[in-house]
Amino acid sequence: MEISPALLSYRRKMGCDQPVIGMVHVQALPGTPGYGGSMQAIIDLALRDAGILKRAGVHALLLENMHDLPYLRREVGPEVTAAMTVVAYLVKKAFALPTGIQILAGANQAALAVGHAAGLDFIRAEGFVFGHLADEGWMDADAGPLLRYRKQIDAHDMLILTDIKKKHSAHAATADVSLRETAHAAQFFKSDGVIVTGTATGAVASLTELQDLQGHTDLPVLVGSGITADNIADFAGVCDGFIVGSSLKRNGDWRAEVEYERAVRLLHAYNHRIA
């Protein structure tokens, strides 16, 4: 079967056909309520977690400012953008894996700017097509402004992987638009890949919905939540990659540190997913 240009570009960028992308949840940044007062401590922990993930065998990394609770909507302060640039640059330089970034909540232009400055490979963008009600309030779709901004800063080499019907959100306003139709819209609006999640962090995505997407989009489809060593084989045949965070942390808690043994167990299950 012929491989679509979008899928080919994704595979080249990731370095494999079906990558496991390990989450690095960056600690609370300057200016946020949880900031602990030390940028060096933030950098050290990000490097620690990224190092464990690489040693365990993940194919790529994804940085996220998950600890910056409560999140702002679409725009974050320059202190957050600056801090994430420093962390992202150092992680990329230290481990040389395909690396992406997400800046919550929906700060997709800031993520592009950080990624471009730090030499990253992709961003994870929420609210790309179809407005939805997020924890932070109503979030308008931003595909038009975001792709124009990528053109403006000449960041064309960075992939924009987009959540559809994303977690932690209400989609009543688009209840008559299926996941498949949302993926079609994302493709039409020039997304580089779509991400399917469960309802919340760590919640398992719908295997039925992912099966329904097969053959109905030319974009790579990633599972963005709920992947564990026990279920990764179930999803292997219906997606083009896995974004994994909570199940690699102590006690499966996203707020904890990455544990090598958990990461190794997941990668072992991944490597034997066909057996």
Side-chain angles (χ1 to χ4, degrees), residues 84-257:
M84 285 295 276
T85 303
V86 171
V87 175
Y89 175 79
L90 292 173
V91 167
K92 178 68 175 181
K93 182 180 180 182
F95 303 109
L97 286 174
T99 303
I101 189 165
Q102 179 177 19
I103 299 184
L104 301 169
N108 300 331
Q109 290 194 20
L112 265 180
V114 170
H116 188 47
L120 305 190
D121 304 281
F122 64 96
I123 72 165
R124 180 176 183 174
E126 55 186 308
F128 187 74
V129 290
F130 292 108
H132 65 266
L133 187 61
D135 294 358
E136 304 80 22
W138 184 263
M139 194 170 289
D140 287 321
D142 75 339
L146 184 61
L147 267 65
R148 282 164 174 77
Y149 183 66
R150 180 170 67 175
K151 182 73 171 181
Q152 176 187 333
I153 65 172
D154 195 26
H156 57 276
D157 286 339
M158 288 191 63
L159 300 181
I160 296 178
L161 306 178
T162 59
D163 278 277
I164 53 174
K165 298 278 189 180
K166 76 171 290 289
K167 59 188 176 181
H168 299 293
S169 302
H171 299 284
T174 55
D176 58 337
V177 183
S178 69
L179 188 74
R180 186 192 293 184
E181 290 168 329
T182 308
H184 285 170
Q187 180 174 324
F188 184 65
F189 274 18
K190 302 184 180 299
S191 167
D192 295 308
V194 293
I195 302 168
V196 178
T197 66
T199 57
T201 298
V204 182
S206 168
L207 188 58
T208 302
E209 288 186 336
L210 283 158
Q211 289 169 337
D212 186 57
L213 273 183
Q214 285 191 290
H216 293 284
T217 178
D218 291 333
L219 299 178
V221 176
L222 294 86
V223 180
S225 71
I227 291 297
T228 69
D230 295 325
N231 69 18
I232 193 168
D234 298 333
F235 289 89
V238 295
C239 73
D240 302 290
F242 312 91
I243 299 173
V244 192
S246 299
S247 70
L248 307 183
K249 303 294 194 77
R250 178 169 35 86
N251 298 323
D253 184 347
W254 70 264
R255 293 163 292 192
E257 297 177 353

Side-chain angles (χ1 to χ4, degrees), residues 42-63:
I42 292 170
I43 292 166
D44 291 345
L45 187 53
L47 289 170
R48 174 201 175 275
D49 282 356
I52 290 174
L53 291 168
K54 180 173 182 177
R55 187 156 54 96
V58 302
H59 308 98
L61 301 169
L62 176 57
L63 302 162

Side-chain angles (χ1 to χ4, degrees), residues 11-35:
R11 289 177 175 179
R12 286 174 175 166
K13 183 70 72 173
M14 295 298 181
C16 69
D17 290 356
Q18 194 179 45
V20 172
I21 303 170
M23 290 296 308
V24 177
H25 292 129
V26 179
Q27 294 295 299
L29 298 170
T32 68
Y35 177 56

